[in-house]
């Protein structure tokens, strides 16, 4: 029997989030996509500091637009004494509390799992931090670039002359993804035990997990993979190659069968397949400079369409190196109807549907809230009368 149309997996789940920047907001946005009610607590009038990173999306911050759709914004000054009662009522209705405040800040506010569990035994508490609880780095500040550095990512990314960071907030994304999946696990566990649990997500550990291949490649003191720009460090030819007209084609060969076909059908130099210098992946990698020169020469008179046609006919994996304009207009995303519009304080904004497609539901694609936009509605849902809300406003609690 199929589910009723429009029923989402996390409908009925309420998430309260003390969040800023990227890791926690990215986690909770995904919970909201799946139907959870996410109440984002923000400083009255100021809000999540990521709102001020830039003004690229019709005056709104690109970071904030990406990570905050489908949420309710509650303006609440947690340092005010009366805020404690608001939080008590909120957590009494909540299933999950997510926070990525500065190290120790949630505990100082009385919002640690240990402080809350006795009063709210079914509450799941997810703490996201740079380095996790315990250890010498527990109280160290952490931002995406710093974790990319500490995790070893920068050391294996870039050119032979310089390590570089990823062009997106990869450490925040990693931690946000593990927080999201771990909260789902905690909800499943609660179904069995009836009790909430604590989830402790470290940005460092999330990124080190993603460093699995280069980390093990350098096992037991072995040299790490060399930085190779956009090319693969240990598989060749696998990376970018220029073609006529100033374009670039990205191609990837994975095995000896593909290498033979590549020589015959793409380069149209079948004799290369028998050349001892290129007879295995390790030899091609060792002689990559000479091989690159051969490939670049072969492609120098061919347009990107001609090279792509040869690669497709030979069943060799390839891709164009799109800029952001190319991504916005990507024909595959358009053909699969992956774009929707979401409301925002600046009007409708296009947004990509979450990557996992279900045949049972379409994710929620709700509005991006203004700071404190939902304060009155949230307080009313907690039982506050209009005069009480007015009192809290006068006292600058909300």
């Amino acid at each position: 029997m199929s589910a009723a149309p429009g029923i989402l997996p996390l409908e009925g789940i309420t998430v309260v989030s003390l969040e800023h920047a990227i890791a926690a907001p990215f986690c909770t946005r995904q919970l909201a996509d799946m139907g959870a009610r996410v109440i984002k607590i923000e400083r009255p009038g100021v809000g999540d500091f990521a709102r001020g990173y830039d003004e690229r999306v019709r005056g709104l911050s690109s970071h904030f637009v990406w990570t905050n759709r489908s949420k309710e914004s509650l303006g609440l000054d947690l340092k005010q004494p009366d805020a404690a009662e608001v939080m008590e009522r909120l957590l009494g209705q909540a299933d999950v509390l997510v926070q990525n405040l500065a190290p120790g800040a949630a505990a100082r506010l009385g919002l640690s799992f240990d402080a809350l569990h006795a009063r709210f035994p079914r509450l799941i508490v997810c703490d996201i931090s740079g380095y996790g609880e315990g250890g010498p780095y527990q109280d160290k500040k952490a931002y995406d670039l710093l974790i990319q550095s500490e995790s070893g990512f920068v050391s294996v990314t870039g050119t032979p002359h310089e390590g570089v960071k990823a062009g997106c907030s990869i450490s925040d994304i990693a931690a946000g993804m593990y927080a999201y999946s771990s909260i789902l696990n905690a909800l499943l566990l609660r179904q069995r035990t009836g009790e909430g649990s604590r989830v402790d997500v470290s940005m460092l550990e999330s990124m080190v997990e993603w460093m699995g291949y280069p980390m093990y490649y350098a096992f037991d003191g072995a040299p790490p993979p060399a930085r190779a720009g956009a090319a693969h460090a240990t598989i060749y030819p696998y990376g970018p190659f220029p073609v006529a007209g100033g374009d670039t084609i990205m191609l990837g060969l994975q095995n000896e069968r593909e290498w033979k076909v590549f020589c015959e059908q793409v380069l149209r130099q079948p004799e290369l397949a028998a050349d001892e210098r290129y007879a295995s992946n390790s030899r091609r990698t060792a002689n990559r400079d000479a091989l690159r020169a051969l490939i670049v020469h072969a492609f120098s008179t061919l347009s990107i369409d001609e090279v792509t046609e040869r690669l497709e006919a030979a069943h060799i994996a390839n891709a164009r190196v799109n800029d952001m304009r190319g991504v916005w207009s990507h024909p595959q995303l358009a053909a699969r109807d992956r774009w929707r519009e979401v409301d925002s304080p600046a009007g409708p904004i296009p947004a990509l549907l979450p990557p996992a497609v279900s045949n049972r539901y379409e994710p929620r694609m709700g509005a991006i809230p203004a700071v404190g936009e939902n304060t009155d509605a949230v307080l009313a849902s907690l039982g506050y009368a209009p005069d009480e809300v007015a009192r809290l406003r006068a006292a600058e609690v909300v």
Side-chain angles (χ1 to χ4, degrees):
M1 180 178 178
S2 63
I7 293 180
L8 296 174
L10 296 182
E11 282 188 23
I13 297 295
T14 297
V15 179
V16 175
S17 191
L18 311 175
E19 59 180 33
H20 54 238
I22 303 303
F26 186 51
C27 164
T28 59
R29 194 217 76 192
Q30 293 175 92
L31 296 169
D33 288 342
M34 294 298 107
R37 181 191 186 195
V38 175
I39 300 171
K40 178 185 180 81
I41 295 177
E42 301 191 76
R43 290 177 59 194
V46 178
D48 182 340
F49 58 70
R51 287 182 181 271
Y53 278 171
D54 58 59
E55 303 81 31
R56 302 289 293 192
V57 188
R58 298 174 186 161
L60 304 178
S61 162
S62 54
H63 289 79
F64 193 86
V65 165
W66 166 44
T67 57
N68 286 284
R69 66 173 178 248
S70 302
K71 299 178 185 179
E72 300 172 46
S73 173
L74 167 62
L76 182 65
D77 184 351
L78 293 172
K79 295 181 180 179
Q80 295 272 15
D82 286 342
E85 173 60 25
V86 178
M87 284 301 298
E88 194 77 6
R89 294 195 196 186
L90 273 174
L91 296 177
Q93 297 184 5
D95 298 279
V96 182
L97 172 65
V98 179
Q99 70 86 18
N100 70 331
L101 303 178
R108 289 192 294 272
L109 291 167
L111 297 173
S112 67
F113 177 78
D114 290 341
L116 296 172
H117 184 61
R119 302 199 307 282
F120 309 108
R122 290 178 55 80
L123 182 67
I124 294 161
V125 177
C126 178
D127 299 317
I128 305 172
S129 63
Y131 297 98
E133 184 177 0
Y137 283 37
Q138 171 181 276
D139 298 322
K140 191 176 175 70
K141 277 193 172 182
Y143 300 116
D144 179 82
L145 171 60
L146 310 181
I147 297 298
Q148 288 192 40
S149 300
E150 287 281 356
S151 66
F153 181 87
V154 171
S155 77
V156 298
T157 306
T159 70
H161 308 292
E162 181 182 19
V164 301
K165 76 176 194 69
C168 62
S169 304
I170 190 169
S171 302
D172 284 317
I173 294 167
M177 291 298 299
Y178 282 115
Y180 170 54
S181 59
S182 297
I183 288 168
L184 299 181
N185 288 339
L187 288 167
L188 290 172
L189 182 63
R190 191 179 69 175
Q191 286 185 350
R192 295 185 176 189
T193 66
E195 285 200 81
S197 55
R198 185 202 177 201
V199 175
D200 175 12
V201 178
S202 152
M203 291 170 66
L204 176 66
E205 289 157 21
S206 299
M207 273 305 294
V208 171
E209 166 66 16
W210 283 15
M211 296 303 297
Y213 144 64
M215 186 170 64
Y216 279 106
Y217 190 88
F219 179 70
D220 204 19
R227 291 193 297 267
H232 198 288
T234 59
I235 303 175
Y236 204 80
Y238 195 146
F241 293 88
V243 300
D247 291 314
T248 298
I249 189 77
M250 187 77 69
L251 61 88
L253 278 75
Q254 293 279 341
N255 54 56
E256 299 313 304
R257 179 191 61 77
E258 290 183 347
W259 166 243
K260 184 173 183 294
V261 172
F262 179 71
C263 293
E264 294 170 350
Q265 298 185 31
V266 179
L267 298 181
R268 297 182 180 174
Q269 300 179 47
E271 69 279 3
L272 277 180
D275 191 316
E276 283 300 311
R277 291 175 299 169
Y278 314 125
S280 67
N281 176 63
S282 59
R283 293 185 182 186
R284 290 192 293 275
T285 299
N287 294 289
R288 68 167 59 206
D289 290 343
L291 179 52
R292 176 177 172 78
L294 290 170
I295 296 172
V296 169
H297 179 72
F299 286 177
S300 63
T301 59
L302 301 173
S303 70
I304 192 165
D305 289 336
E306 290 172 318
V307 173
T308 300
E309 184 177 347
R310 289 190 187 186
L311 291 165
E312 287 294 316
H315 303 290
I316 301 295
N318 65 89
R320 300 191 181 211
V321 182
N322 281 317
D323 58 14
M324 292 301 99
R325 184 184 298 272
V327 174
W328 277 111
S329 61
H330 200 291
Q332 183 68 4
L333 298 175
R336 281 171 52 81
D337 191 28
R338 299 308 294 161
W339 295 102
R340 298 291 182 269
E341 282 195 336
V342 300
D343 259 340
S344 81
I349 292 173
L352 186 71
L353 284 165
V357 180
S358 172
N359 69 336
R360 305 290 284 272
Y361 60 86
E362 181 168 303
R364 182 170 64 187
M365 301 291 283
I368 300 157
V371 179
E373 178 178 336
N374 310 102
T375 298
D376 287 3
V378 171
L379 292 176
S381 74
L382 298 176
Y384 282 92
D387 62 318
E388 293 177 294
V389 175
R391 178 182 61 80
L392 292 173
R393 284 196 181 280
E396 299 184 342
V397 177
V398 299

